[in-house]
Amino acid sequence: MNQNARKAKVRRYPAIAVPILFMGLLNLQPINASQSEKHSVKQSIELPIPQQNFSIKGKVTDTAGEPIIGANVVEKGTSNGAVTDIDGNFSLTIQNRKNPVVVTYIGYLPLEVAVINNQPLTIKLQEDTKKLDEI
């Protein structure tokens, strides 16, 4: 098929046709100037705003200040989490700022920590003496 044959198949719409087509898709009615002066209608459309992920960092230690290696840091209500490194440090990308992080480690009491802005978290876990006595 040559260039001229392709051009013949392409439909050309006048400049006014495209806005009218979109208005039909959105169920909008065109109004003229005299109608708009009589009726001032204000409409607001609420669009969902996607959650923005952000990173938090922190350090998990025991009450003596020693780093806890391998502690679980999980965003509450999700499976999104991280594990502390050899120095007790972690980095985690949070999906929802309203969700606290839950820090757990065997032999220590679980702790929920609220996330405030992007400040580094310093988390001190307390030993669970009841469970240690059972072991």
Side-chain angles (χ1 to χ4, degrees):
M1 189 182 280
N2 63 23
Q3 287 272 343
N4 292 334
R6 270 195 243 158
K7 286 182 182 179
K9 287 191 172 196
V10 175
R11 291 185 178 175
R12 304 270 184 214
Y13 294 104
I16 192 71
V18 174
I20 290 174
L21 286 173
F22 285 118
M23 290 170 63
L25 291 173
L26 297 174
N27 288 329
L28 299 175
Q29 298 295 324
I31 57 173
N32 58 31
S34 63
Q35 288 176 332
S36 66
E37 291 172 3
K38 291 178 187 175
H39 306 286
S40 67
V41 177
K42 294 182 181 179
Q43 293 181 345
S44 64
I45 299 173
E46 292 185 28
L47 298 175
I49 299 172
Q51 295 289 335
Q52 294 181 349
N53 296 344
F54 64 98
S55 294
I56 60 168
K57 293 181 180 183
K59 184 171 187 170
V60 179
T61 61
D62 61 10
T63 53
E66 293 296 317
I68 297 179
I69 303 166
N72 294 311
V73 182
V74 179
E75 180 181 1
K76 187 173 183 178
T78 70
S79 60
N80 180 29
V83 177
T84 58
D85 64 9
I86 195 165
D87 296 320
N89 296 318
F90 69 91
S91 177
L92 179 63
T93 301
I94 298 292
Q95 298 169 357
N96 187 348
R97 285 181 191 233
K98 294 179 182 177
N99 290 346
V101 292
V102 180
V103 183
T104 57
Y105 189 70
I106 297 173
Y108 290 84
L109 295 171
L111 183 65
E112 271 189 28
V113 180
V115 177
I116 302 172
N117 298 325
N118 288 339
Q119 297 175 352
L121 300 174
T122 303
I123 301 167
K124 290 189 178 189
L125 293 182
Q126 302 231 347
E127 290 181 1
D128 187 358
T129 55
K130 291 181 185 177
K131 287 191 179 178
L132 286 177
D133 288 339
E134 290 176 9
I135 296 174

